[in-house]
Each structure stands twice: as structure tokens, then as C-alpha cells.
């Protein structure tokens, strides 16, 4: 199954225009991988800590339906955090540390380089924060946000202390075994990571190999920027009028922030998909068959997800939207806009383009 997906993905990518760019910005060099026809609408992605577009979004692109759908509708611009691209050398010690505001402004320079006016954005946790901050600072340049386990507040004392320990390990020991285990806990559910009785999933093993290629000091720089964020962007969220779609796992360490972020967004333009792992959980098509996972960073995006036909879902405003999101036997509430809790039969559809105008920004 994996071989067929890879072959199909390879054929699709071969058909697309794929180019790698290293762009000089005011804040230093940034690597951008471009997939697809640059005459099509732009989708900008930004990964989580210690990941790049391959390790963060490869599961999404390995899904034939998702890959063909994205490349048919978008030109994808994968922006890697400084020093996270494949084969990156260690950033020079004399180069200044960048803040989250610097990274957001760097995205604007990338868009200027490619002559892009308004774009769709998709980010994961730390990358979701950067893209949301970019959307707040450059509202006219963002058509919509797709965010997985996003952050919106300054770090709590618990998060700050946890990141500080991770930061010290990265600075003094690089990408050591302890650091990789801490990062895998950030990315994957306990079930996916395996145990003494259950082997870890292929996705976890692949991620471990990709983490070996990261330069510890480069990851440390990105972590310092995220852990040093002092800005609560909740007030800025109220001024956003682009469509926003948020995915979060029920047991994600970023679950509370994702819910809080959704509550701050305008419910007319936002939706929340909450993936539950209690009981049967969310089941996705894995290499060993169906395997439970939750969306704490690349939970939805790092696996090959099956697609189904459209159904109707109900939101708090009592309006029905013709949606291509289908969640069999999924209880719906309006607590946070459009909230969907899934079970083991969960599938995620091909698009959001028919949601009575709500999803038109997405496809």
C-alpha cells in the first residue's frame, strides 16, 4: 500500500512544477519549496518545531486523493523555518536570534518575492502561530487559515519550563535521544509511539530518521523564538475576517489553546474539528491497517486519510451547509462554531468548496 501511494505521489509531483528557492530576506535566508503551477492560487505552509515540509506534510501528500486535489487547485509554497530545510548547515552563531514577529515579516518578504498578493495558509502548532500572527499583521494578504493544534497565547509557566529544558538539551547536546523522544511526544499520540508490546508506527520511525538530519542549534533558534513569544494574539483574532478551519485532538497538549482560539474567532468565518480518541478514537489508514491517532500537531496531516462523499452538518446558527465533510455518527455541537467529534469510522472529505460560500476561500 505504501509503495503504491509513493508511486502515485511521485507521478503527481513529476507532473507538477517543483522548484527549490533560497530567498534572501532582511532576516536572513529562507528556503521555499514550490509544488505546482505558479499561475494557480497559492497555499503557503509552515511546519512545527524541528520539522520541514517533508517530515510534517508528507503524509498528506502521500494520500493520492489529497495530493491530486491540492495540486489541481493550488500551487503549494512550503516555507521552512530558518535552518530546517534538507541539508541545512548550522546557522552562524553571530547571526541574531529571530523573534516570532521577524518570522511573520519574513513570510511577507517571501510573498513579495513571488509576487503573491493574497494566499491560503496552513500551519502546524508553532507554524500555525507564525501564520496566524502573519494574518493579523497582514490581513489583506490572507484568504484563509487551516491550523492544526494552534497556539494563540504567550507560553504558560508549564510550557515555558518544558521548552526551557528542551532548549538547554538542544543547545548543549544537539538532537540527542532524549530530545527526539520529547519531540515525538509533541507530534504523535501514545498509541502511535508504541510500547513494549506494540511496535511504533512507520510514521514515527520515519520521523525519527528525519529528526536525525536536523541541526540541533537551528532547532534551538526556532524554539527560542516560539518560547519567547510575549504576545497574546487573542485580541487580533477578533479582527480577522478570513475563513479559519482548526483541527485539534481531544488529548492534544494544545487542546485548550485551540478551543480558546476558536472562541475568539468570528463564528461566521471559523470552524473547529475536534478529534476524539476516547473509546474507539479516530482511525486512519496506516501501513499496518487502521491505527488510532490524535491531532496534536501533524495527526491529521501526517497520515494518509480516506475521503468520502458530501453530507450535511449543522452549526450553531441553525443553518445547514452543504459540506464535503462527512463524520458518520458524529455528534455535533455549536459550542465553538462548527465543532465535530469523530469516532473510529471518521473520514475527512475532499474539499470544503460547497459550504454555501463559507468554504469557497479554501478551494
Amino acid at each position: 500500500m505504501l509503495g503504491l501511494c509513493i508511486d502515485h505521489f511521485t507521478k503527481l509531483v513529476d507532473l507538477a512544477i517543483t522548484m527549490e528557492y533560497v530567498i534572501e530576506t532582511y532576516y536572513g535566508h529562507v528556503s521555499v519549496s514550490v509544488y505546482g503551477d505558479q499561475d494557480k492560487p497559492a497555499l503557503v505552509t509552515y511546519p512545527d518545531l524541528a520539522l520541514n515540509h517533508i517530515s510534517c506534510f508528507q503524509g498528506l501528500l502521500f494520500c493520492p486523493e489529497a495530493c491530486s486535489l491540492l495540486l489541481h487547485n493550488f500551487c503549494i509554497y512550503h516555507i521552512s523555518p530558518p535552518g530546517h530545510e534538507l541539508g541545512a548547515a548550522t546557522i552562524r552563531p553571530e547571526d541574531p536570534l529571530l523573534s516570532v514577529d521577524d518570522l511573520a515579516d519574513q513570510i511577507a518578504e517571501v510573498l513579495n518575492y513571488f509576487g503573491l498578493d493574497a494566499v491560503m495558509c496552513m500551519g502546524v502548532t508553532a507554524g500555525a502561530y507564525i501564520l496566524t500572527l502573519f494574518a493579523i499583521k497582514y490581513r489583506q494578504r490572507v484568504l484563509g487559515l487551516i491550523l492544526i493544534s494552534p497556539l494563540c497565547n504567550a507560553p504558560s509557566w508549564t510550557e515555558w519550563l518544558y521548552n526551557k529544558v528542551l532548549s538547554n538539551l538542544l543547545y548543549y547536546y544537539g538532537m540527542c535521544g532524549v530530545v527526539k523522544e520529547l519531540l515525538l511526544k509533541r507530534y504523535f499520540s501514545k498509541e502511535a509511539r508504541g510500547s513494549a508490546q506494540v511496535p511504533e508506527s512507520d510514521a514515527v520511525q520515519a520521523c525519527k530518521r528525519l529528526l536525525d538530519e536536523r541541526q540541533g542549534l537551528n532547532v534551538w533558534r526556532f524554539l527560542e523564538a516560539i518560547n519567547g513569544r510575549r504576545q497574546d494574539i487573542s485580541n487580533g483574532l477578533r479582527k480577522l475576517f478570513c475563513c479559519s478551519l482548526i483541527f485539534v485532538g481531544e488529548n492534544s497538549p494544545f487542546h485548550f489553546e485551540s478551543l480558546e482560539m476558536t472562541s475568539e474567532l468570528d463564528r461566521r468565518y471559523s470552524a473547529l474539528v475536534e478529534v476524539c480518541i476516547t473509546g474507539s478514537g479516530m482511525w486512519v489508514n496506516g501501513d499496518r491497517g487502521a491505527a488510532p491517532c490524535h491531532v496534536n500537531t501533524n495527526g491529521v496531516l501526517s497520515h494518509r486519510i480516506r475521503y468520502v462523499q458530501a453530507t450535511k452538518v449543522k452549526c450553531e446558527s441553525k443553518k445547514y451547509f452543504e459540506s464535503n465533510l462527512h463524520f458518520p455518527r458524529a455528534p455535533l455541537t455549536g459550542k465553538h462554531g462548527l465543532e465535530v467529534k469523530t469516532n473510529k469510522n471518521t473520514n475527512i472529505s475532499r474539499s470544503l468548496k460547497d459550504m454555501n460560500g463559507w468554504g469557497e476561500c479554501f478551494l
Side-chain angles (χ1 to χ4, degrees), residues 323-350:
S323 169
N324 279 348
L325 281 175
H326 178 49
F327 301 90
R329 296 190 295 279
L332 304 178
T333 71
K335 180 180 178 183
H336 297 285
L338 173 64
E339 181 179 341
V340 182
K341 294 191 175 183
T342 67
N343 61 13
K344 71 176 182 179
N345 297 310
T346 296
N347 293 291
I348 294 181
S349 74
R350 299 196 174 198

Short mmCIF file of all heavy atoms in Angstrom, two decimals, residues 323-350:
data_model
loop_
_atom_site.label_atom_id
_atom_site.label_comp_id
_atom_site.label_asym_id
_atom_site.label_seq_id
_atom_site.Cartn_x
_atom_site.Cartn_y
_atom_site.Cartn_z
N SER A 323 -21.78 20.43 2.82
CA SER A 323 -20.35 20.29 3.08
C SER A 323 -19.83 18.99 2.50
O SER A 323 -20.56 18.02 2.36
CB SER A 323 -20.12 20.31 4.58
OG SER A 323 -18.80 19.95 4.88
N ASN A 324 -18.55 18.96 2.21
CA ASN A 324 -17.90 17.71 1.84
C ASN A 324 -17.20 17.09 3.04
O ASN A 324 -16.35 16.24 2.89
CB ASN A 324 -16.90 17.94 0.71
CG ASN A 324 -17.60 18.00 -0.62
OD1 ASN A 324 -18.76 17.68 -0.72
ND2 ASN A 324 -16.90 18.43 -1.64
N LEU A 325 -17.51 17.59 4.24
CA LEU A 325 -17.01 16.95 5.45
C LEU A 325 -18.04 15.91 5.88
O LEU A 325 -19.21 16.24 6.07
CB LEU A 325 -16.83 17.97 6.57
CG LEU A 325 -15.58 18.83 6.52
CD1 LEU A 325 -15.63 19.86 7.63
CD2 LEU A 325 -14.34 17.97 6.68
N HIS A 326 -17.61 14.67 6.08
CA HIS A 326 -18.55 13.63 6.48
C HIS A 326 -18.00 12.94 7.71
O HIS A 326 -16.91 12.41 7.72
CB HIS A 326 -18.72 12.62 5.36
CG HIS A 326 -19.63 11.49 5.73
ND1 HIS A 326 -20.86 11.68 6.30
CD2 HIS A 326 -19.48 10.15 5.61
CE1 HIS A 326 -21.44 10.52 6.51
NE2 HIS A 326 -20.62 9.57 6.11
N PHE A 327 -18.78 12.93 8.77
CA PHE A 327 -18.37 12.28 10.01
C PHE A 327 -19.49 11.34 10.45
O PHE A 327 -20.45 11.77 11.10
CB PHE A 327 -18.11 13.31 11.11
CG PHE A 327 -17.05 14.29 10.74
CD1 PHE A 327 -17.38 15.47 10.09
CD2 PHE A 327 -15.72 14.04 11.02
CE1 PHE A 327 -16.40 16.38 9.75
CE2 PHE A 327 -14.74 14.94 10.67
CZ PHE A 327 -15.08 16.10 10.04
N PRO A 328 -19.45 10.07 10.07
CA PRO A 328 -20.52 9.14 10.40
C PRO A 328 -20.77 9.07 11.90
O PRO A 328 -19.84 8.92 12.68
CB PRO A 328 -20.01 7.80 9.86
CG PRO A 328 -18.98 8.17 8.84
CD PRO A 328 -18.36 9.44 9.34
N ARG A 329 -22.01 9.18 12.31
CA ARG A 329 -22.44 9.11 13.70
C ARG A 329 -21.67 10.07 14.58
O ARG A 329 -21.39 9.79 15.73
CB ARG A 329 -22.29 7.67 14.21
CG ARG A 329 -23.20 6.70 13.49
CD ARG A 329 -23.20 5.36 14.20
NE ARG A 329 -21.91 4.70 14.16
CZ ARG A 329 -21.46 4.01 13.13
NH1 ARG A 329 -22.18 3.91 12.04
NH2 ARG A 329 -20.30 3.42 13.19
N ALA A 330 -21.32 11.24 14.05
CA ALA A 330 -20.55 12.22 14.83
C ALA A 330 -21.51 13.19 15.49
O ALA A 330 -22.27 13.87 14.81
CB ALA A 330 -19.58 12.97 13.93
N PRO A 331 -21.51 13.30 16.84
CA PRO A 331 -22.36 14.28 17.50
C PRO A 331 -21.86 15.70 17.22
O PRO A 331 -20.67 15.96 17.30
CB PRO A 331 -22.22 13.92 18.98
CG PRO A 331 -20.91 13.22 19.08
CD PRO A 331 -20.73 12.50 17.78
N LEU A 332 -22.74 16.60 16.88
CA LEU A 332 -22.37 17.96 16.54
C LEU A 332 -22.86 18.92 17.61
O LEU A 332 -23.95 18.77 18.14
CB LEU A 332 -22.98 18.37 15.19
CG LEU A 332 -22.64 17.46 14.01
CD1 LEU A 332 -23.36 17.98 12.77
CD2 LEU A 332 -21.15 17.42 13.79
N THR A 333 -22.04 19.91 17.92
CA THR A 333 -22.46 20.97 18.83
C THR A 333 -22.07 22.29 18.22
O THR A 333 -21.28 22.36 17.29
CB THR A 333 -21.78 20.83 20.21
OG1 THR A 333 -20.39 21.17 20.07
CG2 THR A 333 -21.90 19.42 20.76
N GLY A 334 -22.61 23.37 18.80
CA GLY A 334 -22.26 24.69 18.30
C GLY A 334 -21.44 25.47 19.29
O GLY A 334 -21.37 26.69 19.22
N LYS A 335 -20.81 24.77 20.22
CA LYS A 335 -20.08 25.47 21.28
C LYS A 335 -18.98 26.35 20.73
O LYS A 335 -18.74 27.44 21.22
CB LYS A 335 -19.49 24.43 22.23
CG LYS A 335 -18.70 25.02 23.39
CD LYS A 335 -18.16 23.90 24.26
CE LYS A 335 -17.31 24.46 25.41
NZ LYS A 335 -16.73 23.38 26.22
N HIS A 336 -18.27 25.86 19.74
CA HIS A 336 -17.17 26.63 19.15
C HIS A 336 -17.37 26.69 17.64
O HIS A 336 -16.61 26.11 16.88
CB HIS A 336 -15.82 26.00 19.49
CG HIS A 336 -15.51 25.99 20.93
ND1 HIS A 336 -15.14 27.09 21.64
CD2 HIS A 336 -15.55 24.98 21.83
CE1 HIS A 336 -14.93 26.78 22.91
NE2 HIS A 336 -15.17 25.50 23.05
N GLY A 337 -18.39 27.39 17.22
CA GLY A 337 -18.63 27.46 15.79
C GLY A 337 -19.15 26.12 15.29
O GLY A 337 -20.13 25.60 15.79
N LEU A 338 -18.46 25.53 14.36
CA LEU A 338 -18.83 24.22 13.82
C LEU A 338 -17.88 23.20 14.41
O LEU A 338 -16.72 23.11 14.04
CB LEU A 338 -18.71 24.24 12.29
CG LEU A 338 -18.89 22.91 11.57
CD1 LEU A 338 -20.30 22.40 11.78
CD2 LEU A 338 -18.62 23.08 10.10
N GLU A 339 -18.35 22.43 15.38
CA GLU A 339 -17.49 21.51 16.12
C GLU A 339 -17.90 20.09 15.80
O GLU A 339 -19.07 19.74 15.87
CB GLU A 339 -17.60 21.77 17.61
CG GLU A 339 -16.73 20.87 18.46
CD GLU A 339 -16.87 21.20 19.93
OE1 GLU A 339 -17.32 22.29 20.25
OE2 GLU A 339 -16.53 20.33 20.74
N VAL A 340 -16.94 19.26 15.48
CA VAL A 340 -17.23 17.89 15.08
C VAL A 340 -16.40 16.94 15.91
O VAL A 340 -15.18 17.08 15.97
CB VAL A 340 -16.94 17.67 13.59
CG1 VAL A 340 -17.30 16.25 13.19
CG2 VAL A 340 -17.72 18.67 12.74
N LYS A 341 -17.05 16.00 16.58
CA LYS A 341 -16.32 14.97 17.31
C LYS A 341 -16.46 13.66 16.55
O LYS A 341 -17.54 13.29 16.14
CB LYS A 341 -16.86 14.84 18.73
CG LYS A 341 -16.59 16.08 19.56
CD LYS A 341 -16.87 15.86 21.02
CE LYS A 341 -16.47 17.08 21.83
NZ LYS A 341 -16.65 16.88 23.28
N THR A 342 -15.33 12.97 16.41
CA THR A 342 -15.29 11.84 15.50
C THR A 342 -15.22 10.52 16.23
O THR A 342 -14.85 10.46 17.40
CB THR A 342 -14.07 11.95 14.58
OG1 THR A 342 -12.90 11.80 15.39
CG2 THR A 342 -14.03 13.28 13.88
N ASN A 343 -15.55 9.45 15.53
CA ASN A 343 -15.36 8.12 16.06
C ASN A 343 -14.46 7.32 15.12
O ASN A 343 -13.86 7.87 14.22
CB ASN A 343 -16.72 7.42 16.26
CG ASN A 343 -17.47 7.26 14.95
OD1 ASN A 343 -16.90 7.44 13.89
ND2 ASN A 343 -18.75 6.97 15.04
N LYS A 344 -14.42 6.01 15.32
CA LYS A 344 -13.43 5.23 14.55
C LYS A 344 -13.78 5.14 13.07
O LYS A 344 -12.96 4.73 12.27
CB LYS A 344 -13.30 3.83 15.13
CG LYS A 344 -14.51 2.92 14.91
CD LYS A 344 -14.21 1.55 15.44
CE LYS A 344 -15.37 0.60 15.20
NZ LYS A 344 -15.08 -0.74 15.70
N ASN A 345 -15.00 5.51 12.70
CA ASN A 345 -15.37 5.48 11.29
C ASN A 345 -15.11 6.81 10.61
O ASN A 345 -15.56 7.04 9.49
CB ASN A 345 -16.86 5.12 11.15
CG ASN A 345 -17.13 3.73 11.68
OD1 ASN A 345 -16.44 2.80 11.32
ND2 ASN A 345 -18.12 3.61 12.55
N THR A 346 -14.40 7.72 11.30
CA THR A 346 -14.19 9.05 10.78
C THR A 346 -13.44 9.05 9.46
O THR A 346 -12.46 8.35 9.29
CB THR A 346 -13.37 9.88 11.78
OG1 THR A 346 -14.14 10.01 12.96
CG2 THR A 346 -13.07 11.25 11.23
N ASN A 347 -13.92 9.83 8.54
CA ASN A 347 -13.21 10.11 7.30
C ASN A 347 -13.28 11.61 7.07
O ASN A 347 -14.21 12.26 7.50
CB ASN A 347 -13.86 9.38 6.12
CG ASN A 347 -13.71 7.89 6.23
OD1 ASN A 347 -12.63 7.36 6.10
ND2 ASN A 347 -14.82 7.21 6.51
N ILE A 348 -12.32 12.14 6.38
CA ILE A 348 -12.31 13.57 6.09
C ILE A 348 -12.38 13.73 4.59
O ILE A 348 -11.69 13.05 3.85
CB ILE A 348 -11.07 14.25 6.68
CG1 ILE A 348 -11.18 14.17 8.20
CG2 ILE A 348 -10.97 15.68 6.23
CD1 ILE A 348 -10.04 14.81 8.92
N SER A 349 -13.20 14.64 4.13
CA SER A 349 -13.59 14.68 2.75
C SER A 349 -12.60 15.33 1.83
O SER A 349 -11.54 15.77 2.24
CB SER A 349 -14.88 15.45 2.64
OG SER A 349 -14.57 16.80 2.81
N ARG A 350 -13.02 15.43 0.57
CA ARG A 350 -12.16 16.00 -0.46
C ARG A 350 -12.02 17.49 -0.37
O ARG A 350 -11.00 18.03 -0.74
CB ARG A 350 -12.70 15.63 -1.82
CG ARG A 350 -12.72 14.12 -2.01
CD ARG A 350 -12.88 13.76 -3.45
NE ARG A 350 -12.76 12.34 -3.60
CZ ARG A 350 -12.51 11.76 -4.73
NH1 ARG A 350 -12.35 12.47 -5.81
NH2 ARG A 350 -12.41 10.45 -4.80
#
